[in-house]
PDB file of all heavy atoms in Angstrom:
ATOM      1  N   GLN A 412       5.653   5.901  -2.188  1.00  0.00           N
ATOM      2  CA  GLN A 412       6.073   4.630  -1.710  1.00  0.00           C
ATOM      3  C   GLN A 412       5.561   3.493  -2.631  1.00  0.00           C
ATOM      4  O   GLN A 412       6.211   2.547  -2.905  1.00  0.00           O
ATOM      5  CB  GLN A 412       5.520   4.406  -0.304  1.00  0.00           C
ATOM      6  CG  GLN A 412       6.241   5.257   0.705  1.00  0.00           C
ATOM      7  CD  GLN A 412       5.742   4.988   2.158  1.00  0.00           C
ATOM      8  OE1 GLN A 412       6.269   4.113   2.811  1.00  0.00           O
ATOM      9  NE2 GLN A 412       4.767   5.778   2.565  1.00  0.00           N
ATOM     10  N   ILE A 413       4.269   3.734  -3.103  1.00  0.00           N
ATOM     11  CA  ILE A 413       3.743   2.740  -4.122  1.00  0.00           C
ATOM     12  C   ILE A 413       4.528   2.760  -5.373  1.00  0.00           C
ATOM     13  O   ILE A 413       4.886   1.705  -5.930  1.00  0.00           O
ATOM     14  CB  ILE A 413       2.238   3.051  -4.375  1.00  0.00           C
ATOM     15  CG1 ILE A 413       1.409   2.889  -3.085  1.00  0.00           C
ATOM     16  CG2 ILE A 413       1.738   2.180  -5.489  1.00  0.00           C
ATOM     17  CD1 ILE A 413      -0.002   3.358  -3.264  1.00  0.00           C
ATOM     18  N   ALA A 414       4.892   3.950  -5.854  1.00  0.00           N
ATOM     19  CA  ALA A 414       5.669   4.099  -7.071  1.00  0.00           C
ATOM     20  C   ALA A 414       7.002   3.420  -6.946  1.00  0.00           C
ATOM     21  O   ALA A 414       7.441   2.687  -7.868  1.00  0.00           O
ATOM     22  CB  ALA A 414       5.853   5.558  -7.464  1.00  0.00           C
ATOM     23  N   CYS A 415       7.657   3.632  -5.837  1.00  0.00           N
ATOM     24  CA  CYS A 415       9.006   3.035  -5.642  1.00  0.00           C
ATOM     25  C   CYS A 415       8.935   1.497  -5.489  1.00  0.00           C
ATOM     26  O   CYS A 415       9.886   0.794  -5.788  1.00  0.00           O
ATOM     27  CB  CYS A 415       9.688   3.646  -4.417  1.00  0.00           C
ATOM     28  SG  CYS A 415      10.188   5.339  -4.692  1.00  0.00           S
ATOM     29  N   ALA A 416       7.838   1.008  -4.981  1.00  0.00           N
ATOM     30  CA  ALA A 416       7.669  -0.450  -4.726  1.00  0.00           C
ATOM     31  C   ALA A 416       7.199  -1.239  -5.907  1.00  0.00           C
ATOM     32  O   ALA A 416       7.574  -2.384  -6.146  1.00  0.00           O
ATOM     33  CB  ALA A 416       6.738  -0.704  -3.558  1.00  0.00           C
ATOM     34  N   LYS A 417       6.366  -0.543  -6.791  1.00  0.00           N
ATOM     35  CA  LYS A 417       5.723  -1.309  -7.802  1.00  0.00           C
ATOM     36  C   LYS A 417       6.093  -0.984  -9.241  1.00  0.00           C
ATOM     37  O   LYS A 417       5.752  -1.721 -10.196  1.00  0.00           O
ATOM     38  CB  LYS A 417       4.193  -1.224  -7.656  1.00  0.00           C
ATOM     39  CG  LYS A 417       3.696  -1.795  -6.325  1.00  0.00           C
ATOM     40  CD  LYS A 417       2.178  -1.745  -6.287  1.00  0.00           C
ATOM     41  CE  LYS A 417       1.680  -2.421  -4.948  1.00  0.00           C
ATOM     42  NZ  LYS A 417       0.197  -2.429  -4.911  1.00  0.00           N
ATOM     43  N   MET A 418       6.776   0.127  -9.443  1.00  0.00           N
ATOM     44  CA  MET A 418       7.088   0.558 -10.827  1.00  0.00           C
ATOM     45  C   MET A 418       8.537   0.203 -11.157  1.00  0.00           C
ATOM     46  O   MET A 418       9.373   0.148 -10.234  1.00  0.00           O
ATOM     47  CB  MET A 418       6.956   2.092 -10.971  1.00  0.00           C
ATOM     48  CG  MET A 418       5.516   2.559 -10.901  1.00  0.00           C
ATOM     49  SD  MET A 418       5.380   4.392 -11.116  1.00  0.00           S
ATOM     50  CE  MET A 418       3.628   4.631 -11.055  1.00  0.00           C
ATOM     51  N   ASP A 419       8.794  -0.006 -12.422  1.00  0.00           N
ATOM     52  CA  ASP A 419      10.216  -0.189 -12.807  1.00  0.00           C
ATOM     53  C   ASP A 419      10.908   1.162 -12.834  1.00  0.00           C
ATOM     54  O   ASP A 419      10.293   2.215 -12.635  1.00  0.00           O
ATOM     55  CB  ASP A 419      10.371  -0.903 -14.147  1.00  0.00           C
ATOM     56  CG  ASP A 419       9.722  -0.091 -15.347  1.00  0.00           C
ATOM     57  OD1 ASP A 419       9.805   1.160 -15.261  1.00  0.00           O
ATOM     58  OD2 ASP A 419       9.223  -0.740 -16.300  1.00  0.00           O
ATOM     59  N   LYS A 420      12.205   1.166 -12.996  1.00  0.00           N
ATOM     60  CA  LYS A 420      12.997   2.369 -12.857  1.00  0.00           C
ATOM     61  C   LYS A 420      12.551   3.503 -13.764  1.00  0.00           C
ATOM     62  O   LYS A 420      12.331   4.659 -13.307  1.00  0.00           O
ATOM     63  CB  LYS A 420      14.460   2.078 -13.147  1.00  0.00           C
ATOM     64  CG  LYS A 420      15.386   3.283 -12.963  1.00  0.00           C
ATOM     65  CD  LYS A 420      16.851   2.916 -13.215  1.00  0.00           C
ATOM     66  CE  LYS A 420      17.765   4.155 -13.056  1.00  0.00           C
ATOM     67  NZ  LYS A 420      19.204   3.803 -13.333  1.00  0.00           N
ATOM     68  N   SER A 421      12.280   3.243 -15.023  1.00  0.00           N
ATOM     69  CA  SER A 421      11.868   4.301 -15.910  1.00  0.00           C
ATOM     70  C   SER A 421      10.514   4.866 -15.591  1.00  0.00           C
ATOM     71  O   SER A 421      10.265   6.061 -15.628  1.00  0.00           O
ATOM     72  CB  SER A 421      11.915   3.798 -17.379  1.00  0.00           C
ATOM     73  OG  SER A 421      11.004   2.707 -17.530  1.00  0.00           O
ATOM     74  N   GLN A 422       9.568   3.951 -15.297  1.00  0.00           N
ATOM     75  CA  GLN A 422       8.215   4.420 -14.887  1.00  0.00           C
ATOM     76  C   GLN A 422       8.242   5.227 -13.613  1.00  0.00           C
ATOM     77  O   GLN A 422       7.631   6.254 -13.507  1.00  0.00           O
ATOM     78  CB  GLN A 422       7.283   3.186 -14.670  1.00  0.00           C
ATOM     79  CG  GLN A 422       6.947   2.434 -15.936  1.00  0.00           C
ATOM     80  CD  GLN A 422       6.115   1.193 -15.601  1.00  0.00           C
ATOM     81  OE1 GLN A 422       6.426   0.444 -14.622  1.00  0.00           O
ATOM     82  NE2 GLN A 422       5.115   0.886 -16.385  1.00  0.00           N
ATOM     83  N   ARG A 423       9.024   4.714 -12.616  1.00  0.00           N
ATOM     84  CA  ARG A 423       9.129   5.414 -11.328  1.00  0.00           C
ATOM     85  C   ARG A 423       9.729   6.793 -11.526  1.00  0.00           C
ATOM     86  O   ARG A 423       9.173   7.789 -10.980  1.00  0.00           O
ATOM     87  CB  ARG A 423      10.046   4.606 -10.411  1.00  0.00           C
ATOM     88  CG  ARG A 423      10.257   5.204  -9.041  1.00  0.00           C
ATOM     89  CD  ARG A 423      11.512   4.608  -8.394  1.00  0.00           C
ATOM     90  NE  ARG A 423      12.740   4.999  -9.105  1.00  0.00           N
ATOM     91  CZ  ARG A 423      13.832   4.213  -9.216  1.00  0.00           C
ATOM     92  NH1 ARG A 423      13.809   3.018  -8.733  1.00  0.00           N
ATOM     93  NH2 ARG A 423      14.896   4.673  -9.865  1.00  0.00           N
ATOM     94  N   ASN A 424      10.800   6.895 -12.230  1.00  0.00           N
ATOM     95  CA  ASN A 424      11.457   8.216 -12.430  1.00  0.00           C
ATOM     96  C   ASN A 424      10.566   9.195 -13.175  1.00  0.00           C
ATOM     97  O   ASN A 424      10.508  10.375 -12.841  1.00  0.00           O
ATOM     98  CB  ASN A 424      12.796   8.069 -13.161  1.00  0.00           C
ATOM     99  CG  ASN A 424      13.866   7.359 -12.338  1.00  0.00           C
ATOM    100  OD1 ASN A 424      13.601   7.048 -11.188  1.00  0.00           O
ATOM    101  ND2 ASN A 424      14.971   7.089 -12.942  1.00  0.00           N
ATOM    102  N   ALA A 425       9.846   8.675 -14.166  1.00  0.00           N
ATOM    103  CA  ALA A 425       8.928   9.527 -14.933  1.00  0.00           C
ATOM    104  C   ALA A 425       7.818  10.025 -14.036  1.00  0.00           C
ATOM    105  O   ALA A 425       7.431  11.226 -14.123  1.00  0.00           O
ATOM    106  CB  ALA A 425       8.369   8.844 -16.118  1.00  0.00           C
TER     107      ALA A 425
END
Side-chain angles (χ1 to χ4, degrees):
Q412 291 181 86
I413 295 172
C415 289
K417 297 186 176 181
M418 293 181 179
D419 62 34
K420 182 178 179 180
S421 60
Q422 290 176 320
R423 177 200 71 212
N424 290 357

